[in-house]
Amino acid sequence: MDENQELTKLEKEWKTHFARFTAPEPTREMTLDLIQKMKKIEENQSPVDLRLELETTQNSLSTRDKIVNIFLSQWNFYGTTSWLLTGLVMIAITFTISVNTADPLFGFTNWIKWITLLVIAVIGYSFRPKNEGNEIIETLSYYPIIQQMFTRFMIVMGFQLVLALPLCFFIVGRESTILYLVSSFIPVFFFGVVGFVATFWLGQKIGLSLTLFIWFSQVLLKKELLFQVPGDDYFLVMNMIIFGLSILLLSTILLKNRFSVNLK
């Protein structure tokens, strides 16, 4: 037997080992029977209340864990990349003004103006309605929207102030005193509060527009009330008034339980 005949014989032997398998097509009666079995299983099982499970899990957490969870959720809503970009912009503004300005007092005034404008931009960005899906998630969250917004406001202000207070030393140099820290803290805090409160009561678009209007009105006025520096007339008095007004505006959030606010 030559080699070709032997290969042909082996091929025929192996073909006999393979059997064709065809899955049977389910009949109409089999399909209906399967549907009825699935319905019986669903009837015997009680539906899962995801909302109740969420509330049970949240109630089992300690107060510290609840605070940490809401801060982390709002930090993720804003995005770590956006925070890093905000910090880089603040640093870039600081070093640009400190290098190109010979007069520390004039440079400090311009620095406050740009930093507060950046605060307004960050407030507008962090309270923006991203899309309908995120709005639904916020509404269905375990935490009330007022707590979510206030937590996001605290993150924005905390991040801005942590960077703004030390950066002011690069502008005024050795002349830095506690008064310069006050004059950098008050405007940042004021515009943060105005942006937050206006957004809370009037919505994101109107709130942002109102805050920008106040900022531009101060920049265009010859006698600035919000951007005062040590040495100006009534410096301490004006800053105390601005700080008190900020606290009063922030306290209006407590009226949320008494009025129906249209949040958009």
Side-chain angles (χ1 to χ4, degrees):
M1 181 180 298
D2 58 13
E3 185 177 353
N4 291 335
Q5 291 177 345
E6 185 177 356
L7 290 175
T8 303
K9 181 180 179 181
L10 290 174
E11 183 180 357
K12 291 180 179 179
E13 291 179 356
W14 277 106
K15 284 183 178 180
T16 59
H17 291 287
F18 295 102
R20 183 179 180 184
F21 176 78
T22 303
E25 183 179 355
T27 62
R28 181 174 180 274
E29 290 74 14
M30 295 172 62
T31 303
L32 295 176
D33 183 57
L34 178 61
I35 293 174
Q36 292 299 325
K37 289 181 179 179
M38 293 178 64
K39 287 183 178 180
K40 290 180 179 179
I41 294 175
E42 291 179 355
E43 291 175 356
N44 295 330
Q45 293 179 350
S46 58
V48 179
D49 191 343
L50 297 178
R51 183 70 181 183
L52 179 60
E53 289 188 0
L54 174 62
E55 293 180 355
T56 303
T57 303
Q58 291 288 349
N59 291 329
S60 64
L61 297 176
S62 62
T63 303
R64 176 183 174 277
D65 291 335
K66 290 180 180 179
I67 295 175
V68 171
N69 286 343
I70 190 172
F71 268 91
L72 289 177
S73 65
Q74 299 309 305
W75 175 276
N76 294 331
F77 183 90
Y78 184 68
T80 304
T81 303
S82 300
W83 286 113
L84 294 177
L85 291 176
T86 302
L88 291 175
V89 172
M90 293 180 69
I91 293 174
I93 292 174
T94 301
F95 282 96
T96 301
I97 293 178
S98 62
V99 170
N100 296 309
T101 305
D103 184 4
L105 192 62
F106 178 75
F108 182 77
T109 304
N110 287 331
W111 178 77
I112 286 294
K113 293 177 181 178
W114 283 103
I115 290 298
T116 50
L117 182 60
L118 181 61
V119 170
I120 297 173
V122 173
I123 286 287
Y125 178 76
S126 60
F127 288 100
R128 72 196 185 284
K130 300 179 81 171
N131 54 47
E132 184 179 354
N134 284 320
E135 185 177 352
I136 293 174
I137 292 175
E138 281 189 324
T139 304
L140 296 178
S141 173
Y142 172 81
Y143 301 101
I145 291 183
I146 182 174
Q147 292 184 12
Q148 298 179 56
M149 291 186 67
F150 186 71
T151 302
R152 209 176 305 161
F153 164 73
M154 292 179 63
I155 293 175
V156 172
M157 293 309 304
F159 184 82
Q160 299 282 352
L161 291 174
V162 164
L163 285 179
L165 293 180
L167 286 177
C168 75
F169 287 95
F170 287 93
I171 301 296
V172 294
R174 296 179 180 179
E175 298 181 12
S176 299
T177 63
I178 189 65
L179 294 180
Y180 279 98
L181 293 178
V182 171
S183 59
S184 61
F185 168 80
I186 297 298
V188 172
F189 182 69
F190 172 78
F191 280 105
V193 170
V194 170
F196 168 58
V197 174
T199 300
F200 184 85
W201 286 105
L202 305 175
Q204 193 262 350
K205 293 182 180 180
I206 299 178
L208 182 61
S209 300
L210 178 61
T211 310
L212 286 173
F213 174 78
I214 296 174
W215 187 87
F216 277 108
S217 65
Q218 285 298 297
V219 171
L220 298 177
L221 283 177
K222 294 182 179 180
K223 184 63 176 179
E224 297 172 351
L225 301 177
L226 298 176
F227 304 118
Q228 293 204 353
V229 295
D232 290 344
D233 296 335
Y234 308 108
F235 168 76
L236 289 177
V237 174
M238 287 303 304
N239 278 277
M240 290 177 62
I241 293 175
I242 295 171
F243 182 74
L245 181 61
S246 302
I247 297 298
L248 289 176
L249 288 174
L250 200 58
S251 65
T252 62
I253 302 301
L254 299 176
L255 299 176
K256 168 65 178 175
N257 295 330
R258 299 179 56 187
F259 294 93
S260 176
V261 182
N262 182 21
L263 294 177
K264 296 183 179 180

